[in-house]
Amino acid sequence: MRHIVLLVCLVVLTTFGPRANAAPLKPGALNKAPRLIIMLVIDQLRGDALTRHYSRLLPPGTLKRPGGLRYLMSHGAHFPQAEHDTLHGMTGPGHATIATGAWPYRHGIVLNGWRSRRTGQYRYCVADKATTAIGSRGKGRNVSPKTLLGTTIGDAIKGGAPGQKVVSIAIKDRAAVLMGGYRADLALWLEPQSHRWISSSYYLPKGHLPSWVERLNKSAETHHPQAGKWRPLGASDGRSSTAPDGGLGQGSATVNSVWGPWGDSLTARAALGAINHMKLGQTRGTDLLAVSLSAHDIVGHRHGHNAREMEEMLVSADRTIAAILRAVAKRVPGGMRDVVVVLTGDHGAPPAQSYLKAHRLPHGEIARQDMARLLEGAVTKKYGPSPLGRWLTGYSKFEYFISRSALAKSKVRLSDIERVVAQTLRKHPSIEWVFTRSQALDGRWPPGLFGVQAARGWHPRRSGDVIAIPRAFVIQKRDEVSHFTGYSHDRTVPLLFVGRHVRPGVYPKVVKTVDIAPTLAFLVGVVPPSVSEGRVLGEMLSDGSH
Ligand SMILES: [Zn+2]
């Protein structure tokens, strides 16, 4: 009897226990690398978005003619709760984490931009004065990946065979640059005013766009829809709380139509152009196509997740993804069997302020300028006026930067100013926790998850001197939605993996977005990016799938 009990225990353990998660693939399983990795990001895609509007998505389709999101959900591993488990849920940090497999303290993109402690000047996260914009009709920003402190998955796979290609496309330049990394053959982003895809001299040292991109640009310049005109892509599923069919995007008549479904169509056209003209997945070695759908985020900021506009943006993303997958299924020898697709979000978002108020949920907003004035006043009251006019050079979100130039001209110490700023912030009813640079350097982090996230999201050369963590659902004033925290709504995104060796199903385990790059590296058979610290999602891998 005892033997039978032991045997049953053994069977249960080997079937359902941790060993099952680490089951090896057959010898030689990875000898044939995929031809193409498609890395898809939907900007501000929260963990619940896919299942919420499931009935509005295209049918799953087949390997030969795939659908969109439902294809990925039915053919792939679906982790509804993947986490950007760090200090700030934002576009720059999120895309960098996905591409590098590291948290911001390692890849260095701690915010979308930070401040110089000397001059107070804002430093955009991908700014690079040494470059010029290519293809711009105006003053395109000068950008490159040089602020990224590690390599990306594209950089990692490019060493495999000569002629491998990495292409990255997003309306937002920081999304395209950070996904593409150092060795991207082409990174494209959109100039909203001219509707043109543009790039940087970093990628295009010859100073001109490829001719196929110029052709795309010509058609977009002449065929753009009237701003603010937005027709629904089908009947609502009834789950959205605002806006009937006729009133989509109301109050945003002057908004550029790039920030809506048309932006997704332009992105799809650019991705299809890259697949066709750069022959992605059609030559030797593994190629990477990274695409981020940026318009979804801008609509989310304006209307909130419960709005009909966001239902439509998900449907728009679904069609965009289907168009890309169908082109790949047709063009790549071996079709979808030789392709790995990963889809996720760069961050989530809280419900809209109007929704929170209407449902008597906690909410609040902080006027950032008022807060900065309050802090400057508190320091001045304690130590007198700054010899340079200001003790604080500026702020980024709720990170505050103390002027080193002012300190050099006075007897006040950095830690003195830090203390006054932190004490003032702690008294504010909308601030939950505060920590300082001195505390961070001493390893005295906030308690629990706050501390884990703070340590992952703070960099000594880039982060603020005093960092305030607002209460959950508190946003910056004048936004309907803003996301910049590590709370569940900002950090939880869905994660989908599809490809050979990936066992389809819905996985209950909470995983981290740093796991994406090392898992891709494993499937391609290369070493993970240089600062990667995630793990291979072994629980979703098995032989015989796909
Ligand atoms: Zn955003």
Side-chain angles (χ1 to χ4, degrees):
M1 183 63 194
R2 194 182 290 166
H3 289 288
I4 293 171
V5 171
L6 270 175
L7 192 68
V8 169
C9 285
L10 200 67
V11 168
V12 168
L13 269 174
T14 47
T15 311
F16 302 107
R19 281 181 61 83
N21 291 342
L25 300 176
K26 279 184 196 145
L30 300 178
N31 287 355
K32 194 179 169 212
R35 285 178 167 275
L36 179 64
I37 305 285
I38 307 177
M39 201 163 80
L40 301 167
V41 180
I42 302 179
D43 204 312
Q44 205 189 109
L45 184 73
R46 205 170 64 188
D48 55 347
L50 302 182
T51 39
R52 178 181 166 90
H53 295 300
Y54 185 82
S55 66
R56 293 242 16 225
L57 304 175
L58 292 169
T62 60
L63 280 173
K64 284 214 160 120
R65 190 174 160 72
L69 292 162
R70 276 173 70 181
Y71 173 83
L72 303 180
M73 289 162 90
S74 59
H75 286 76
H78 178 196
F79 297 88
Q81 292 190 22
E83 292 186 333
H84 285 283
D85 200 4
T86 182
L87 189 56
H88 298 296
M90 295 172 80
T91 300
H95 282 85
T97 294
I98 293 164
T100 60
W103 298 116
Y105 84 105
R106 298 301 314 273
H107 63 57
I109 309 299
V110 289
L111 288 152
N112 284 345
W114 44 90
R115 296 271 171 188
S116 158
R117 290 179 178 84
R118 202 169 48 79
T119 62
Q121 199 186 13
Y122 184 73
R123 291 185 173 163
Y124 181 49
C125 65
V126 289
D128 180 0
K129 279 190 198 139
T131 64
T132 51
I134 304 294
S136 165
R137 285 274 187 262
K139 286 189 202 152
R141 276 200 285 223
N142 313 113
V143 300
S144 88
K146 85 163 190 198
T147 46
L148 198 56
L149 302 179
T151 56
T152 60
I153 184 63
D155 298 327
I157 66 173
K158 254 199 109 165
Q164 281 180 286
K165 289 170 290 294
V166 171
V167 177
S168 177
I169 299 167
I171 297 182
K172 292 185 186 178
D173 54 8
R174 58 186 175 277
V177 168
L178 294 168
M179 287 190 304
Y182 283 92
R183 295 190 66 186
D185 298 271
L186 183 64
L188 292 174
W189 49 93
L190 205 81
E191 185 170 63
Q193 299 77 20
S194 67
H195 312 126
R196 287 172 60 82
W197 291 104
I198 64 171
S199 190
S200 160
S201 57
Y202 175 84
Y203 306 102
L204 300 171
K206 288 185 184 155
H208 56 82
L209 294 169
S211 52
W212 65 267
V213 178
E214 277 297 2
R215 283 199 296 278
L216 271 184
N217 284 344
K218 280 211 175 76
S219 80
E221 279 174 309
T222 46
H223 295 113
H224 63 89
Q226 206 184 329
K229 260 201 176 161
W230 184 348
R231 291 195 182 85
L233 294 163
S236 171
D237 60 16
R239 290 181 162 219
S240 301
S241 57
T242 59
D245 284 359
L248 289 177
Q250 265 184 357
S252 54
T254 54
V255 167
N256 193 319
S257 31
V258 160
W259 304 118
W262 191 57
D264 284 350
S265 315
L266 289 176
T267 310
R269 270 186 251 170
L272 264 46
I275 293 164
N276 294 340
H277 294 282
M278 298 180 76
K279 303 212 175 311
L280 299 181
Q282 298 156 57
T283 52
R284 274 174 52 189
T286 306
D287 294 337
L288 171 75
L289 171 64
V291 178
S292 180
L293 300 178
S294 308
H296 187 267
D297 175 69
I298 304 301
V299 176
H301 279 287
R302 224 165 259 143
H303 301 283
H305 266 251
N306 299 298
R308 176 69 195 280
E309 283 84 355
M310 284 303 268
E311 181 184 335
E312 290 302 316
M313 285 311 291
L314 189 76
V315 174
S316 165
D318 185 43
R319 294 185 181 193
T320 304
I321 289 163
I324 294 170
L325 296 184
R326 280 169 195 171
V328 165
K330 218 162 130 188
R331 293 269 172 172
V332 174
M336 293 306 287
R337 284 179 204 283
D338 274 344
V339 176
V340 171
V341 187
V342 60
L343 176 131
T344 191
D346 55 342
H347 56 76
Q353 281 290 294
S354 54
Y355 181 91
L356 293 167
K357 282 179 198 164
H359 296 278
R360 293 181 296 169
L361 285 157
H363 63 275
E365 48 188 25
I366 302 175
R368 289 187 299 160
Q369 257 178 342
D370 293 354
M371 183 70 101
R373 266 197 292 271
L374 179 79
L375 299 174
E376 186 70 39
V379 179
T380 305
K381 196 174 165 199
K382 178 90 180 170
Y383 295 109
S386 157
L388 294 176
R390 283 194 309 167
W391 289 109
L392 300 177
T393 64
Y395 53 85
S396 179
K397 294 300 168 193
F398 298 100
E399 298 207 4
Y400 298 91
F401 297 77
I402 295 167
S403 168
R404 299 303 191 270
S405 313
L407 286 177
K409 288 185 182 297
S410 79
K411 290 208 168 80
V412 185
R413 289 173 306 174
L414 173 65
S415 56
D416 296 331
I417 310 242
E418 274 182 356
R419 199 176 315 112
V420 176
V421 172
Q423 279 166 356
T424 312
L425 284 164
R426 281 190 192 109
K427 285 183 200 147
H428 196 284
S430 293
I431 300 297
E432 188 69 37
W433 205 270
V434 181
F435 69 96
T436 65
R437 175 186 174 83
S438 301
Q439 288 174 326
L441 289 174
D442 285 351
R444 287 180 288 132
W445 297 105
L449 189 58
F450 273 159
V452 171
Q453 293 182 341
R456 285 174 178 164
W458 191 85
H459 190 279
R461 289 199 300 278
R462 295 179 180 177
S463 296
D465 297 306
V466 184
I467 290 95
I469 301 172
R471 294 224 158 127
F473 294 156
V474 168
I475 63 166
Q476 55 196 30
K477 197 166 183 167
R478 279 195 288 276
D479 277 359
E480 178 65 354
V481 168
S482 47
H483 52 81
F484 47 80
T485 75
Y487 292 115
S488 65
H489 46 272
D490 282 350
R491 75 168 182 264
T492 309
V493 293
L495 173 61
L496 291 157
F497 259 97
V498 185
R500 203 188 299 142
H501 308 305
V502 176
R503 196 155 38 114
V506 183
Y507 290 73
K509 193 174 169 62
V510 176
V511 295
K512 308 294 178 193
T513 48
V514 290
D515 301 334
I516 296 169
T519 302
L520 288 173
F522 175 82
L523 289 170
V524 178
V526 296
V527 174
S530 59
V531 291
S532 166
E533 54 190 311
R535 68 183 180 91
V536 176
L537 295 168
E539 62 268 42
M540 70 170 194
L541 300 177
S542 73
D543 285 303
S545 296
H546 222 263

